Each structure stands twice: as structure tokens, then as C-alpha cells.
Amino acid sequence: MSDSIRTDAPGAALAVADALQVRANKLDLLERLADALAHEIKNPLHSMVINLEVLKRRLSRPPGESGDVLRYATVLGQELDRVNQRIELLLRLSRPERGGAEETTLNELVEEVMELVTLEARHREARVEYAPAAQMVRVRLGRQAARQIILNIVLDALDELTGGQVLRIAVRVEEGRAVMTVSGAASSDGGERLSVAAALAEAVGGRVDVEGEERTLLLPASGTH
């Protein structure tokens, strides 16, 4: 047993996930987020089909009667950008870790996955409130591991939210450490997601704490572990 996940129950602690569970969890995240992104990609694709048909009809008219062709071409470009952005989000998660650990800030890491978090919240008709840190210490870890840590903590808080409820994410600096708190519903999966987050956080000298409906990620400043 490890105290990397600490609960509000006296003497209680959840086991840290092993390497096989961490890999299985990543595949689970990819499957879940791919499904969410597929729904989001359908809307811009549908819009592109409609605007392309209108554009084809306008271009088939005699010169001078083609109408506002540029407007429809602009819409097509914008929708292509939307599709590309959503595919890039998924690719960020699926790519293997390259280059190992790097220095960054917790603000930046959270903001990299915020669109995915917002999409998940929208499907539950929940709202997301995010408060970044005004000042930030630098942390050192792999980006893939960081995304997996953050998404597991956030999804653990989000999964049981219902329409109109709020998921609150805040980042701050405390005693020289980068800290993220996530408040939502109580864990519903027996702590499996948090166990994975704890294993990955522990590998870089960090920790995951749980107290009621609040989860806290603590990461040491770069060079302190």
C-alpha cells in the first residue's frame, strides 16, 4: 500500500496502480475521448458538406452570377480547422512519449487538455470553472504522463456530475510546489483512476490527495526532487 493517495478516512489509503494498469488506463482514456471527439467532428463535417454543395452550385453559374463564393469558401476553411484541432487533441494523447521529461508549468499542462475536459462536461450538461495560478513554479515531467494524471483526476471528479453542476479546477503555488485542486462528485470507480494518477505522480516526486469531493495534485518544483 502507498500513501500517495490519501483519503479523509483515518488510516485509509488506496493502492498505487502498477505499470499494466497504467497502460490499460491510457487505452481506456483514448477510447473514451475518441468517442467524445467523434461526436464533435460530426458537426463541422456536416456543415462542410452543406457549404460545399452550395459552393458547387454557385460556381456552376455563369461568370458574374456566382454570388458570395468567398463566404462559403471561408466557412469551409473554418470547419476544416475545427476538425484538425480535434484530431490533434486525440493525437496528443495517443503519441508515445518523446524526449522524456521537460520543464513546463502546471497551468500550461492543464490548459492543454482543457478542451477535452470541456467536451466531456458538455456531454453531462455540467459546467467547468477554471482558475489558473497568477504565478507559477516550473515542474519537470513528461507531457504524456502529465496529461494522463490530469485527465484521470478530472474525469474522476466529473463522471458523477449531473446537469447544472459545476466542475471546479484551480491551480496555485503552495510552499514552492505546483498544486491543482479539482472539485466535483465523489469517486464512483473505487479509486481506479486516482490510483493511476498517483502512480504517475509518485514517479516524479508528486502526490495525489483526496478529501471528500476534492482531489489535489501536488508536484515538486523543477530541481527539488
Side-chain angles (χ1 to χ4, degrees):
M1 298 293 284
S2 168
D3 63 355
S4 289
I5 296 181
R6 303 177 183 181
T7 74
D8 54 354
L14 296 176
V16 172
D18 60 30
L20 184 60
Q21 288 173 302
V22 170
R23 288 194 294 271
N25 170 262
K26 182 175 181 178
L27 292 175
D28 178 65
L29 282 177
L30 285 172
E31 181 179 357
R32 173 171 174 169
L33 296 172
D35 184 61
L37 286 170
H39 288 291
E40 291 297 318
I41 288 172
K42 284 181 182 178
N43 290 333
L45 285 177
H46 181 64
S47 175
M48 287 165 61
V49 170
I50 292 173
N51 280 278
L52 184 59
E53 286 301 315
V54 173
L55 187 60
K56 286 164 61 178
R57 288 197 297 269
R58 294 296 176 94
L59 289 173
S60 66
R61 293 178 181 179
E65 299 180 14
S66 58
D68 194 358
V69 171
L70 181 60
R71 179 165 66 89
Y72 292 103
T74 299
V75 171
L76 281 171
Q78 292 170 342
E79 298 299 348
L80 278 170
D81 284 342
R82 286 179 63 193
V83 171
N84 183 63
Q85 288 169 9
R86 280 153 176 74
I87 292 174
E88 180 58 31
L89 283 172
L90 189 60
L91 289 176
R92 285 180 196 169
L93 290 173
S94 61
R95 291 186 187 115
E97 193 77 73
R98 296 175 181 174
E102 59 181 274
E103 284 198 3
T104 183
T105 68
L106 192 49
N107 275 356
E108 182 178 337
L109 293 170
V110 172
E111 286 159 12
E112 282 185 358
V113 299
M114 190 53 66
E115 185 171 357
L116 288 170
V117 172
T118 302
L119 291 177
E120 284 287 320
R122 187 187 306 162
H123 293 159
R124 288 165 177 72
E125 299 182 341
R127 294 187 296 111
V128 179
E129 293 181 359
Y130 170 53
Q135 295 183 327
M136 199 71 256
V137 296
R138 299 190 72 76
V139 296
R140 184 173 181 79
L141 71 166
R143 286 186 178 269
Q144 287 288 45
R147 293 173 187 134
Q148 196 171 352
I149 292 169
I150 293 167
L151 284 171
N152 273 299
I153 294 172
V154 169
L155 292 177
D156 184 77
L158 178 62
D159 276 348
E160 293 303 306
L161 290 185
T162 56
Q165 291 186 303
V166 180
L167 176 75
R168 292 183 173 87
I169 304 171
V171 179
R172 68 181 188 277
V173 175
E174 183 178 282
E175 299 178 352
R177 297 175 299 185
V179 180
M180 177 187 73
T181 57
V182 180
S183 300
S187 181
S188 63
D189 69 348
E192 291 181 14
R193 291 191 184 281
L194 296 178
S195 295
V196 171
L200 293 168
E202 187 179 70
V204 294
R207 195 175 81 227
V208 175
D209 291 348
V210 182
E211 185 172 352
E213 296 180 351
E214 184 172 277
R215 300 128 179 95
T216 303
L217 168 67
L218 301 97
L219 293 174
S222 178
T224 62
H225 68 284

